[in-house]
Amino acid sequence: RKQQMRIGAVFPQLEIGNDPATIARWATEVERMGFRHILAFDHVIGAGVDTRPGWRGYTSENPFHEVFVLFGYLAAVTTDVELVTGVLILPQRQTALVAKQAAEVDVLSDGRMRLGIGVGWNQVEYEVLGERFDNRGARVEEQIELMRALWADPTITFEGSSHRVDNAGINPRPVQGRIPVWIGGYAEPVLRRVGRLADGWLPQGAPDTKMAEDVARVRRYAEDAGRSATDVGFEARLTVARTPRESWGDFLAGWRELGATHLAVDTMGLGLTDAQAHLDLLQEVLAAEA
């Protein structure tokens, strides 16, 4: 019997444009086609490259819809798909505000929010948003702890190294009193953090020997922390621009074999210019999964 793996679609941030009707149609079609979740990348600020020779990564030319506002909109036009940040760069944002925004999406979508977080790579973005870049890994664990506390109880008192809450809380809180927190990234401290704290890991890459080892390590770290290995989900990503069409089926089967609970399909990077082309490609990947 095939291991159950929930297949989602990556919102084509960079290629879908700004027309709200087009965005709504893409989302409703994704849901109609049977995809289980919509995953969106997060960037707030893009760096101008004219003063930064050798810059690598996203720039001011790359469009990014703001994930929480986008999900508020998608919550209204969809009924079943989970709404997933993959990943939100948590340490460059105010923790209580993220907790509030994620809870709001969860309420408006009737419990469909999943918060994938990471520490990011873009120093320019951190600087503009007024947060420190150099200690972002150290801060993120306290941020997760604080968000979970705010989601769980009407008011909390919290004293950490970066946060202080004196008998205060957010309202409304999430439908279940919690939101799943998944973590992206590959560094050894990240894998340990996933095993210890996270509801899941968001790896990117082929289901090869190295990835199998990383999955096993995350499971071992979970057990070391007194959790069950099955407490941690795994969401792989099939980036069609980097994976030959004839390998799609093997890619999906390989990740299912490794125990992936979820997989998201990214259709960006092929220069597709309209939403329908992205939807057609998603349909082809579903056919390879069948």
Side-chain angles (χ1 to χ4, degrees):
R1 189 178 67 82
K2 279 185 175 181
Q3 151 90 16
Q4 182 63 33
M5 187 168 69
R6 295 167 70 98
I7 309 289
V10 174
F11 178 68
Q13 278 278 31
L14 307 172
E15 299 172 7
I16 198 166
N18 298 336
D19 175 45
T22 300
I23 290 168
R25 189 176 74 81
W26 179 90
T28 54
E29 276 298 296
V30 160
E31 183 169 76
R32 187 193 61 75
M33 287 158 62
F35 286 93
R36 307 292 294 279
H37 58 283
I38 290 170
L39 180 144
F41 302 172
D42 166 54
H43 281 288
V44 178
I45 294 290
V49 294
D50 50 332
T51 57
R52 296 182 176 90
W55 179 264
R56 294 170 68 88
Y58 297 118
T59 75
S60 58
E61 299 290 304
N62 298 123
F64 276 91
H65 293 276
E66 200 289 313
V67 286
F68 287 125
V69 178
L70 172 70
F71 284 169
Y73 180 62
L74 297 188
V77 300
T78 59
T79 55
D80 297 311
V81 288
E82 194 180 25
L83 303 169
V84 186
T85 58
V87 294
L88 181 96
I89 302 155
L90 183 59
Q92 70 183 16
R93 291 175 177 250
Q94 293 171 294
T95 313
L97 183 56
V98 171
K100 175 85 170 179
Q101 290 168 313
E104 184 67 20
V105 171
D106 196 69
V107 167
L108 294 178
S109 66
D110 195 24
R112 292 188 276 141
M113 177 78 211
R114 173 157 50 105
L115 191 68
I117 60 109
V119 298
W121 53 268
N122 188 342
Q123 203 158 347
V124 172
E125 199 166 14
Y126 272 82
E127 183 179 20
V128 177
L129 293 169
E131 294 290 349
R132 281 178 61 182
F133 184 77
D134 59 341
N135 67 350
R136 63 199 193 284
R139 282 189 290 122
V140 78
E141 295 195 13
E142 185 175 301
Q143 289 187 287
I144 294 169
E145 185 186 353
L146 175 55
M147 288 193 304
R148 284 175 166 162
L150 287 166
W151 292 331
D153 294 305
T155 59
I156 65 164
T157 294
F158 183 97
E159 189 78 52
S161 55
S162 307
H163 303 84
R164 182 171 180 274
V165 183
D166 178 10
N167 187 29
I170 61 169
N171 190 355
R173 292 184 296 117
V175 175
Q176 306 285 339
R178 71 184 304 276
I179 289 171
V181 177
W182 289 46
I183 295 177
Y186 302 95
E188 181 63 21
V190 173
L191 300 187
R192 290 181 183 277
R193 191 175 295 138
V194 172
R196 205 170 62 250
L197 293 176
D199 294 290
W201 183 40
L202 295 146
Q204 292 183 51
D208 54 17
T209 309
K210 167 76 169 75
M211 206 55 88
E213 289 168 2
D214 285 350
V215 166
R217 275 157 69 209
V218 168
R219 289 182 171 137
R220 194 168 67 249
Y221 294 146
E223 288 172 343
D224 290 347
R227 309 171 70 196
S228 163
T230 56
D231 289 345
V232 182
F234 295 88
E235 169 145 358
R237 183 170 308 158
L238 169 59
T239 303
V240 293
R242 294 190 210 137
T243 312
R245 187 175 297 255
E246 61 273 15
S247 305
W248 291 352
D250 290 342
F251 190 101
L252 293 160
W255 267 111
R256 188 183 289 106
E257 191 69 28
L258 286 185
T261 52
H262 300 68
L263 181 141
V265 181
D266 179 3
T267 55
M268 290 183 283
L270 294 171
L272 304 180
T273 52
D274 68 280
Q276 189 57 51
H278 285 281
L279 291 166
D280 291 345
L281 192 52
L282 287 171
Q283 189 69 62
E284 289 178 43
V285 177
L286 278 188
E289 156 76 352

